[in-house]
Amino acid sequence: MNRRHFLGLAAGTATATALAGTAHASEEMEGYPNSHGVLFDASRCIGCRQCEIGCNKINNVETSPETKEKPWANLPRKDEKVFATPPPTDAVRTDSTMFTLVNQFNPQALGGKTPVYKKFQCMHCMEPACASACFVKAFTKTPEGAVVYNGSLCVGCRYCMVACPWRVPAYQFDKLIPYVMKCHMCYPHIKAGTTDKPGCVKACPMEALVWGTREELIKEAWARIGAVPGKYVPHVYGEREMGGTNWMYISHVPFEQIGLRTDLGTTGAPHLTSGPLSLVPLVACLWPVLLGGIWQITKWKDRHAEAEKQKAVAEAVAKARGEK
């Protein structure tokens, strides 16, 4: 390959890849009308953390070496770090060993006498930022409502972690074959028929978690808000945020006081990231071509230099012989 051929190949690859990348990044991922989801009512949560146990049990999550026989016997945080009353902007998030956890918030800071709790997990966006950012399509928005992850497609770029506005995906840096840990709303278990609703919903004794279609949940949320005027913040968090989510919240305290962002707007992630994300597949596909071209040019230079060297030696030998 000479330099002219290499530059032609690089230009062609750049054009084709840019077109393909733009088509994928600008593709609108809309939610499904009959999809299911979960509604969390912060006013009913008592911090029992049975949802964590139910999640660990159905997903067979090992939380410590001592609980391998019954991995759901212990809670994700043995030291109860999640109950350390963190400031709302620094709430403890899930890591690569868990799908969900419950945060406790300081009652004094919220103007009350009792703690306020919030369950943390994937929001299952109708237009997922993780799926928009993933150029190998390892994340999929299912018609049932869940956002699921296919580890066999993942290349470990971790763009999903950067893209998620709620900082949900967690990466298993300590594994030989890393995996992104994220709540899948028990989609594999529901699909297989082993359960009819997520494990956390089944385990909740206070009906702080409600399972149903998204439309039903929105109606239920507004019914609870209207039933006791002044009790709840008059807003269903997730109904509109980032284009809407399949996991929604209602609360008797302002959402920002329980660690939920209120600065996200209502525009879905794909509409915000289509420009920058179009460059991701371009870089990923063009990089090997550039490296290959550099290698070819370097080899050509080496061969050319060697030929010049041999020519100079031959001329010097010929000249020496002529002088003799």
Side-chain angles (χ1 to χ4, degrees):
M1 179 187 291
N2 59 33
R3 282 177 292 180
R4 179 177 296 177
H5 290 159
F6 162 69
L7 292 174
L9 176 61
T13 303
T15 302
T17 311
L19 292 174
T22 303
H24 169 63
S26 62
E27 185 179 293
E28 295 183 7
M29 294 176 287
E30 298 180 353
Y32 296 91
N34 297 316
S35 61
H36 281 68
V38 178
L39 173 67
F40 174 80
D41 187 339
S43 72
R44 297 193 181 193
C45 183
I46 59 174
C48 67
R49 304 173 76 184
Q50 291 298 311
C51 56
E52 295 178 0
I53 297 175
C55 177
N56 288 349
K57 184 174 182 178
I58 196 170
N59 291 296
N60 202 35
V61 175
E62 293 185 2
T63 57
S64 72
E66 298 83 20
T67 58
K68 285 188 176 180
E69 292 184 4
K70 292 184 178 180
W72 51 87
N74 273 10
L75 297 173
R77 303 281 185 172
K78 293 179 65 178
D79 59 358
E80 295 198 347
K81 181 181 178 182
V82 291
F83 279 5
T85 60
T89 56
D90 192 32
V92 181
R93 60 184 288 264
T94 51
D95 59 27
S96 62
T97 66
M98 65 186 75
F99 289 104
T100 188
L101 59 78
V102 175
N103 279 154
Q104 174 182 285
F105 296 91
N106 193 327
Q108 285 75 30
L110 303 178
K113 296 181 179 180
T114 58
V116 181
Y117 303 96
K118 183 206 70 177
K119 184 178 179 297
F120 182 90
Q121 74 296 303
C122 175
M123 297 292 288
H124 298 280
C125 304
M126 295 176 67
E127 298 182 281
C130 56
S132 175
C134 183
F135 62 92
V136 295
K137 299 185 178 180
F139 291 89
T140 305
K141 177 68 175 180
T142 66
E144 290 80 3
V147 177
V148 296
Y149 164 76
N150 185 348
S152 65
L153 297 176
C154 182
V155 296
C157 68
R158 301 187 293 280
Y159 284 125
C160 57
M161 296 174 63
V162 178
C164 178
W166 289 283
R167 301 191 305 139
V168 170
Y171 197 67
Q172 297 176 328
F173 290 96
D174 58 335
K175 298 294 180 65
L176 181 62
I177 302 178
Y179 195 82
V180 172
M181 198 75 160
K182 184 193 77 67
C183 162
H184 44 54
M185 206 155 61
C186 285
Y187 174 79
H189 311 302
I190 295 173
K191 196 75 172 176
T194 55
T195 184
D196 59 345
K197 62 182 66 173
C200 59
V201 178
K202 276 193 151 184
C204 181
M206 301 301 294
E207 294 187 357
L209 295 170
V210 184
W211 170 256
T213 66
R214 191 171 185 274
E215 289 76 11
E216 292 171 345
L217 295 177
I218 292 174
K219 290 179 181 178
E220 173 65 18
W222 283 110
R224 291 190 184 188
I225 292 172
V228 186
K231 177 181 178 180
Y232 293 94
V233 175
H235 179 72
V236 179
Y237 189 93
E239 183 179 6
R240 303 290 182 187
E241 278 76 9
M242 293 298 293
T245 63
N246 283 71
W247 200 291
M248 294 172 286
Y249 293 81
I250 54 174
S251 175
H252 57 302
V253 299
F255 294 107
E256 61 270 17
Q257 293 185 0
I258 56 173
L260 289 171
R261 293 183 60 181
T262 56
D263 60 341
L264 297 174
T266 59
T267 304
H271 306 283
L272 299 173
T273 58
S274 59
L277 287 176
S278 64
L279 298 176
V280 173
L282 170 64
V283 174
C285 296
L286 188 57
W287 191 244
V289 177
L290 290 174
L291 291 178
I294 292 171
W295 180 80
Q296 289 284 358
I297 292 174
T298 302
K299 295 294 290 184
W300 175 82
K301 287 183 176 180
D302 291 343
R303 289 195 299 268
H304 184 73
E306 183 63 26
E308 291 290 335
K309 179 181 177 181
Q310 292 178 0
K311 181 180 178 181
V313 170
E315 290 177 350
V317 171
K319 182 178 180 181
R321 288 176 178 175
E323 290 176 352
K324 289 182 179 179

